[in-house]
Amino acid sequence: MATIALDPRLDKKTSDFIAQKHRMYIDGKFVNAASGKTLSVYNPATGEVMAQVPEAEAVDVDQAVRAARRAFDEGPWTKMSPSQRGRLILKLADLMEQHLEELAEIESMDNGKPVSVARVADVPLAVDLFRYMAGWATKIMGHTFPISFPGEYLSYTLREPIGVVGQIIPWNFPLLMAAWKLGPALAAGCTVVLKLAEQTPLSGLRLAELIHEAGFPEGVVNVLTGFGEGAGAPLAAHDLVDKIAFTGSTEVGRLIVHAAAGNLKKVSLELGGKSPAIIFPDADLERAIPGTASAIFFNHGQCCCAGSRLFAHESIFDRVVEGVSDIASKIRVGNGLDPHTEMGPLVSEEQFEKVTGYINSGLSEGAKATAGGKKAADRGYFVQPTVLTRTTPEMKVVKEEIFGPVVCAVPFTDTDLDRIAREANDTPYGLAASVWTRDISIANKMAKRIRSGTVWINCHNVFDAALPFGGYKQSGWGREMGSEVLNNYTEVKAVTTAL
Ligand code: NAI
Ligand code: MG
């Protein structure tokens, strides 16, 4: 492999890591794919290859699953006390914090996002998630039950780890998605095979090194790099896997459900969205305009909960569109390592083609771009933050998830909350929504009427390890984070003793 010139702005530790020969993590060892094959990792700011990582296939998946099976069935992991498990997770969080800057730089190089954002959002949120989940390790419990069966009994439930868990994650928040998945599974006492996204495997591989350094027993966490069909599909189908947790497209979510049918493994899914942000005429526009702009443009719109449908009452519609368009046109788009950059490139050529394709389809069907509408550089995968108006409900840009910095702004005239909610709910998705108003009664009535897993009032994209997150309808099955996620990784056993 030719040596790749890495960006001189990177810390030497980061450059050294990216340039090193990458291996996957199976059964406590760093290994190549059995076939010796690798896949290329691209720098989205330049389109150049910056690393090679192993390309796992079914045989590697099988090895990793068997290692996780042994670690679960034979211990020592499952024989450790909850407090020992919690301490290991805390140690991992400490190590991540010690390497915060390096992890943020890796994330920026791999995903394209500004290092300034990864430093204050992705990495600290991942650290917080692990710490929060470490606390749960000692607090996963059952209940006792007064039963009415004739006789005298003691009945209680045990909440036990579900077993070997397969986890498949996407590229939009590579490290954070790894944390959302690993944290609760480890707190619950499961063992894991985690498959990273092929576009962004580097922070997960660095995390594997930190997991090793923290001292988790071998086989407890296995980290694979590879493609969806080659590595993800055999993991989802594997008979020795008890549960599969997936985040990504709704299309692949359906494939996961089919693949899981063989041994009826449990499934949780966190899928797409087309989230509405609804601004009422009485809203504080000083907050609602920047708030709804950030709802769509944060992480370049590559968020499953991005506020991609902006509804504003007709009396304020023009001001809102003007304000959001003004913000969009001033966003500094550039290389994520530049400290002034506010928006980096999209993650891959595929996403670049997809997002610009959506913009062109909207424009050709008669939508108007009041900001953006084009690619933003001749090299790399940069797209201008884009605001579309004059859309119609039938347009693809309105109906489908774009997963890029593109918002469709639509006026509403109604005062009837049921009808406004019906329009907001007119999507197969149900992940999130935001409502902007000074009227607490309207805000909370709307929160009840919207069919989605999250409703934000006068804010958007507020995340916390304590809050459950997930989707109604085709946005998914189950919830991540909070105490709710522990249900994904535990089985309940009812124990009854005749006294
Ligand atoms: P994807 O759903 O294909 O990929 C996500 C993960 O699933 C990756 O790790 C991939 O390797 C794996 N995967 C792909 N095919 C698989 C299969 N047959 N079996 C098992 N695993 C498989 O998403 P992709 O192609 O990267 O992006 C396409 C669209 O998906 C985006 O434009 C966006 O609309 C949506 N998406 C949603 C995300 C979310 O957070 N809900 C995250 C990423 C993408
Ligand atoms: Mg795909």
PDB file of all heavy atoms in Angstrom, residues 198 249 252 350, ligand 2:
ATOM      1  N   GLU A 198     -18.704   0.631   6.785  1.00  0.00           N
ATOM      2  CA  GLU A 198     -17.549   0.537   5.885  1.00  0.00           C
ATOM      3  C   GLU A 198     -16.973   1.912   5.532  1.00  0.00           C
ATOM      4  O   GLU A 198     -15.798   2.039   5.245  1.00  0.00           O
ATOM      5  CB  GLU A 198     -17.916  -0.233   4.609  1.00  0.00           C
ATOM      6  CG  GLU A 198     -19.067   0.337   3.782  1.00  0.00           C
ATOM      7  CD  GLU A 198     -20.426  -0.223   4.197  1.00  0.00           C
ATOM      8  OE1 GLU A 198     -20.617  -0.517   5.409  1.00  0.00           O
ATOM      9  OE2 GLU A 198     -21.298  -0.345   3.315  1.00  0.00           O
ATOM     10  N   SER A 249     -30.480   2.404   7.329  1.00  0.00           N
ATOM     11  CA  SER A 249     -31.610   2.701   6.442  1.00  0.00           C
ATOM     12  C   SER A 249     -32.793   1.779   6.727  1.00  0.00           C
ATOM     13  O   SER A 249     -32.624   0.644   7.165  1.00  0.00           O
ATOM     14  CB  SER A 249     -31.178   2.544   4.985  1.00  0.00           C
ATOM     15  OG  SER A 249     -30.771   1.218   4.746  1.00  0.00           O
ATOM     16  N   VAL A 252     -32.491  -1.497   4.699  1.00  0.00           N
ATOM     17  CA  VAL A 252     -31.675  -2.566   5.285  1.00  0.00           C
ATOM     18  C   VAL A 252     -32.329  -3.082   6.571  1.00  0.00           C
ATOM     19  O   VAL A 252     -32.236  -4.274   6.874  1.00  0.00           O
ATOM     20  CB  VAL A 252     -30.214  -2.110   5.510  1.00  0.00           C
ATOM     21  CG1 VAL A 252     -29.415  -3.163   6.259  1.00  0.00           C
ATOM     22  CG2 VAL A 252     -29.552  -1.808   4.165  1.00  0.00           C
ATOM     23  N   GLU A 350     -21.214   8.269  -2.645  1.00  0.00           N
ATOM     24  CA  GLU A 350     -22.576   7.742  -2.787  1.00  0.00           C
ATOM     25  C   GLU A 350     -23.600   8.714  -2.174  1.00  0.00           C
ATOM     26  O   GLU A 350     -24.635   9.012  -2.774  1.00  0.00           O
ATOM     27  CB  GLU A 350     -22.638   6.381  -2.079  1.00  0.00           C
ATOM     28  CG  GLU A 350     -23.942   5.641  -2.282  1.00  0.00           C
ATOM     29  CD  GLU A 350     -24.011   4.338  -1.454  1.00  0.00           C
ATOM     30  OE1 GLU A 350     -22.963   3.894  -0.933  1.00  0.00           O
ATOM     31  OE2 GLU A 350     -25.113   3.798  -1.331  1.00  0.00           O
TER      32      GLU A 350
HETATM   33 MG    MG B   2     -26.541   0.839   2.002  1.00  0.00          MG
END
